[in-house]
Amino acid sequence: MNNPFPYSDSNKRYYTFDYMMRKRFGGKCVKIPIDAGFTCPNIDGKCGRGGCTYCTLPHRSGEMRGIDIENQYALQTEKLSSKWSGALRLPYLQDYTNTYADINKLKKIYETVLSLPEAIGIDIATRVDAIDDECIKYLKEINERTFLILELGLQTIHDSTASLINRGHSYEKFLEVYEKLKNLNICIHIINSLPYESDEMMLATAREIARLHPFMLKIHMLYIEEGTRIADSYKNRDFELLTLEEYTSVVCRQLELLPPDICIGRITGDGQKATLIAPDWSKKKFVVMNEIDKFLVKNNTYQGILYK
Ligand code: SF4
């Protein structure tokens, strides 16, 4: 295999989560989703109502909500065991804003998660306007004793887009909090194909991620799902979505701009197939990943080739 990308032992020309975890922990790792019962300040009115315009969470009830953390972990582990028996387990507080509570409640939840059998650490997804200084101090303590990933939704560096999608915070706010957190394993989320964003705007977001140099980046396509506010705007033909070819090209050009040692936690997402309106091509995640691999080989390029 002729692969010039250094952080890979396969055909991947970008630094995958799987590769990073195998090198770090010596084996395959699976994330175990846990619904710890949080809500979101952009849904409940603290900073906004209705949530980000693409968010499906206000419109669906999580199947695990209300089940205690230990039982959720057991149920989810059981579900994954047929496919990933023997894999390392990383509990993942994914849905909603998982730092949005007072410090005593956070400690109770996180300590429960950290004591789950065979958990190798904790992965917490949140937004920057729901992390106060007390929480930061506690996250730093956790980081001293175990493996912590803190996932921060950014989606775009462009405030005009953030306002259109009702993100509820500015890029300046993101930077202010990121600065306080930057010694942690931060994973930033971005979305491609947000309304009216040009390729150059998406590449500018990637350039800024390169400058921030987080531990990890998750790249998503915008999904239009039934029941969301963005679905109405999409049905009115207010904006167009990227085609598979366009998405592939943008993602590969973003990869070129990033430092080679930023782990790519996701290169395309998992839309809810039952409620997905568009883009249809995103339902075949394997095809999208293949197209990205093929593009990188065909153009003899890889993550970081243009990073200075
Ligand atoms: S921050 Fe997350 S949970 Fe909150 S509204 Fe936006 S997408 Fe939904």
Side-chain angles (χ1 to χ4, degrees):
M1 189 169 30
N2 185 18
N3 184 353
F5 183 65
Y7 302 106
S8 174
D9 53 11
S10 65
N11 65 332
K12 297 289 175 197
R13 289 175 172 231
Y14 56 92
Y15 186 13
T16 65
F17 179 76
D18 180 62
Y19 180 84
M20 183 274 290
M21 292 300 273
R22 279 191 287 111
K23 290 289 165 192
R24 192 165 186 142
F25 291 100
K28 172 86 193 164
C29 174
V30 291
K31 291 195 182 187
I32 310 288
I34 302 282
D35 182 343
F38 288 98
T39 176
C40 172
N42 200 22
I43 293 175
D44 72 4
K46 184 166 182 213
C47 85
R49 286 223 178 264
C52 306
T53 58
Y54 51 81
C55 181
T56 57
L57 292 171
H59 319 287
R60 64 180 161 99
S61 51
E63 58 177 90
M64 291 288 167
R65 187 136 285 211
I67 301 176
D68 67 51
I69 288 173
E70 291 88 345
N71 276 320
Q72 284 188 48
Y73 185 71
L75 287 164
Q76 298 283 26
T77 303
E78 175 65 29
K79 257 201 216 169
L80 293 165
S81 65
S82 57
K83 198 169 171 199
W84 302 117
S85 137
L88 301 161
R89 303 176 203 172
L90 182 63
Y92 180 24
L93 306 184
Q94 178 176 17
D95 284 351
Y96 292 95
T97 299
N98 293 281
T99 54
Y100 185 40
D102 68 57
I103 193 71
N104 293 325
K105 186 172 172 193
L106 293 182
K107 283 187 175 172
K108 196 162 170 240
I109 291 171
Y110 297 171
E111 295 307 322
T112 303
V113 171
L114 289 168
S115 65
L116 292 167
E118 295 174 47
I120 59 164
I122 184 169
D123 187 341
I124 300 168
T126 189
R127 44 185 285 136
V128 287
D129 55 357
I131 311 176
D132 62 20
D133 288 348
E134 232 179 344
C135 176
I136 292 174
K137 190 167 163 233
Y138 177 45
L139 290 169
K140 287 185 175 170
E141 264 174 46
I142 294 177
N143 189 56
E144 290 289 308
R145 59 183 151 113
T146 189
F147 180 61
L148 166 74
I149 300 177
L150 187 70
E151 307 207 13
L152 302 176
L154 168 63
Q155 321 315 356
T156 175
I157 61 163
H158 305 287
D159 284 347
S160 54
T161 313
S163 169
L164 269 178
I165 60 172
N166 195 39
R167 182 67 204 161
H169 64 73
S170 63
Y171 184 49
E172 190 183 357
K173 175 70 186 177
F174 182 91
L175 288 177
E176 177 198 315
V177 180
Y178 182 83
E179 191 59 30
K180 296 182 188 175
L181 295 165
K182 69 180 180 192
N183 295 328
L184 301 179
N185 294 326
I186 298 295
C187 172
I188 299 178
H189 291 218
I190 61 171
I191 299 179
N192 285 330
S193 199
L194 288 169
Y196 314 119
E197 286 217 343
S198 61
D199 284 11
E200 191 38 54
M201 290 169 85
M202 293 179 253
L203 294 177
T205 293
R207 268 186 216 103
E208 200 37 26
I209 301 294
R211 186 185 73 79
L212 298 178
H213 209 145
F215 171 69
M216 190 173 356
L217 173 67
K218 284 187 174 175
I219 306 174
H220 298 255
M221 172 65 196
L222 175 66
Y223 298 117
I224 309 293
E225 300 201 39
E226 284 296 353
T228 58
R229 283 188 285 167
I230 208 165
D232 297 333
S233 157
Y234 179 72
K235 284 174 188 166
N236 286 338
R237 299 193 163 271
D238 289 348
F239 65 95
E240 301 274 332
L241 291 177
L242 295 175
T243 63
L244 173 57
E245 292 69 30
E246 289 165 343
Y247 181 75
T248 302
S249 165
V250 161
V251 167
C252 292
R253 286 189 288 149
Q254 288 174 319
L255 289 174
E256 290 178 332
L257 296 169
L258 297 169
D261 61 349
I262 292 184
C263 171
I264 306 299
R266 213 174 250 273
I267 204 149
T268 180
D270 293 302
Q272 305 282 319
K273 286 195 178 112
T275 53
L276 186 77
I277 297 171
D280 208 44
W281 55 259
S282 68
K283 288 179 183 163
K284 293 189 179 145
K285 189 172 165 186
F286 187 71
V287 171
V288 182
M289 292 171 74
N290 247 335
E291 287 303 311
I292 290 167
D293 292 339
K294 276 178 4 198
F295 185 102
L296 293 172
V297 170
K298 189 175 162 207
N299 293 284
N300 195 20
T301 189
Y302 49 85
Q303 180 181 342
I305 196 170
L306 299 179
Y307 174 65
K308 295 190 183 81

